[in-house]
């Protein structure tokens, strides 16, 4: 277990996604685990925290979510750039050793709370809220966040630490064709105005 | 009209949102226009391009969208940091001159295609796809992008130019409490691997 892993209170969980990072989506059913990358994930509510994520019908991870009723969204880092691109471009259907070949190590945060991808900056464990019309028509899945954690080196006390941490902890923001941006400089607006 | 405004082909429109920027949402009905900020906007499909955006029931912009059946998502820049925060924290219900007080100037890209906020880096004009259950239960609105444009200084030939352009063109990524990040460094994965 990562000694830097800390729980994130559910009222702050939306902040893990609010700045629009590309995420890794993981799920497990009947002993099969998989991980994919998704740029189309978004916060959906504050309390209880909810999220949305778009999952193509060809994704095995989608099937695992439909069967297990749960999934994890986690925020990969600059340090995981190649891993993130690899899990997004390789299918478990073509490579049974996909996760090993992509450099993914999984762990559970607690009994049954997984699978989480090691090395990420934050994790949101979500219970699927079944919405068959959205899932079929738009490939859109909605989940309620029931637990969240972060690596204290990247996010602590309810705040991202990008401006203080090693740049390898920065989040990834995918565009297309292997082209990403890291999150950049902090900008603050005086909130008393 | 901005001489740098260029159309974006619809098959590339998802790239304007893919990296997770905070957006401005604008709409107009019966001569009333409004603009709000939204961090919870996301691409939803490639072709035809669709988007999702979460709009609280208290927002006047939401009512304008429900009545007009159309909205614009646009990508504000570092140069518009204060404008972005201001339109997200001031209501037209409290201040009839909200847009002027927030420094917003609106324009139409063509007859009836608006309102667009001047100074943004890109704009997606969307036709609302009515989904009453999503709108009522999740405050989630879905639109089909029917036209898109970008300022060629920030996005051209299907690619963001953040690494080449003046840093004031960078997108904003909101966290909470007046705290934003700008988009940062470009990172590329070899796509032949």
């Amino acid at each position: 277990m990562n000694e830097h892993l800390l729980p994130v209170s559910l009222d702050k969980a939306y902040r893990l996604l609010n700045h629009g990072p590309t995420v890794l989506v993981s799920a497990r059913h009947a002993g099969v685990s998989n991980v994919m990358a998704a740029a189309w994930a978004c916060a959906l509510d504050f309390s209880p925290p909810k999220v949305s994520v778009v999952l193509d019908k060809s994704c095995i991870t989608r099937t695992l979510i439909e069967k297990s009723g749960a999934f994890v969204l986690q925020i990969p880092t600059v340090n995981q750039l190649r891993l993130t691109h690899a899990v997004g471009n390789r299918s478990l259907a073509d490579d049974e050793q996909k996760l090993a070949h992509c450099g993914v190590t999984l762990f559970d945060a607690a009994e049954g709370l997984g699978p989480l991808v090691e090395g990420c900056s934050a994790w949101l464990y979500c219970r699927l809220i079944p919405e068959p019309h959205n899932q079929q028509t738009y490939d859109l899945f909605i989940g309620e966040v029931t637990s969240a954690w972060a690596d204290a080196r990247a996010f602590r006390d309810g705040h991202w630490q990008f401006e203080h941490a090693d740049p390898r902890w920065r989040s990834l923001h995918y565009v297309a064709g292997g082209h990403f941006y890291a999150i950049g400089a902090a900008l603050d607006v005086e909130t008393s105005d």
Side-chain angles (χ1 to χ4, degrees), chain A:
Chain A
M1 179 67 83
N2 174 353
E3 67 190 89
H4 302 284
L5 189 85
L6 290 178
V8 174
S9 65
L10 289 180
D11 65 322
K12 299 288 195 301
Y14 76 93
R15 296 186 182 185
L16 302 174
L17 284 178
N18 216 70
H19 67 298
T22 293
V23 303
L24 304 180
V25 188
S26 56
R28 178 172 57 203
H29 179 70
V32 177
S33 293
N34 202 15
V35 180
M36 60 179 282
W40 298 354
C42 198
L44 181 63
D45 207 349
F46 292 108
S47 180
K50 297 192 189 80
V51 299
S52 65
V53 60
V54 179
L55 304 168
D56 191 72
K57 292 183 179 66
S58 67
C59 298
I60 289 181
T61 305
R62 173 178 167 146
T63 306
L64 299 176
I65 293 169
E66 289 170 331
K67 290 183 175 171
S68 67
F71 60 93
V72 180
L73 299 187
Q74 47 240 304
I75 320 297
T77 70
V78 166
N79 208 35
Q80 295 171 303
L81 174 66
R82 292 183 65 84
L83 179 157
T84 301
H85 193 255
V87 298
N89 286 274
R90 190 184 283 251
S91 173
L92 194 64
D94 303 324
D95 177 4
E96 284 188 16
Q97 300 299 312
K98 166 183 170 174
L99 297 186
H101 289 152
C102 294
V104 171
T105 305
L106 298 174
F107 70 105
D108 280 13
E111 178 69 28
L113 290 181
L116 280 60
V117 178
E118 268 191 19
C120 288
S121 58
W123 302 262
L124 302 107
Y125 184 88
C126 304
R127 182 181 63 79
L128 177 67
I129 299 175
E131 287 283 1
H133 170 68
N134 285 333
Q135 295 168 206
Q136 279 306 310
T137 306
Y138 300 113
D139 297 331
L140 181 69
F141 288 69
I142 293 175
E144 180 180 334
V145 183
T146 58
S147 301
W149 308 268
D151 189 301
R153 293 168 289 186
F155 183 97
R156 64 174 175 270
D157 305 326
H159 297 283
W160 285 107
Q161 302 296 319
F162 297 131
E163 55 268 56
H164 315 299
D166 187 301
R168 287 174 296 185
W169 283 105
R170 288 176 184 251
S171 54
L172 300 170
H173 299 255
Y174 188 53
V175 182
H179 189 55
F180 294 78
Y181 290 96
I183 199 66
L187 301 167
D188 287 279
V189 179
E190 294 292 330
T191 52
S192 58
D193 67 353

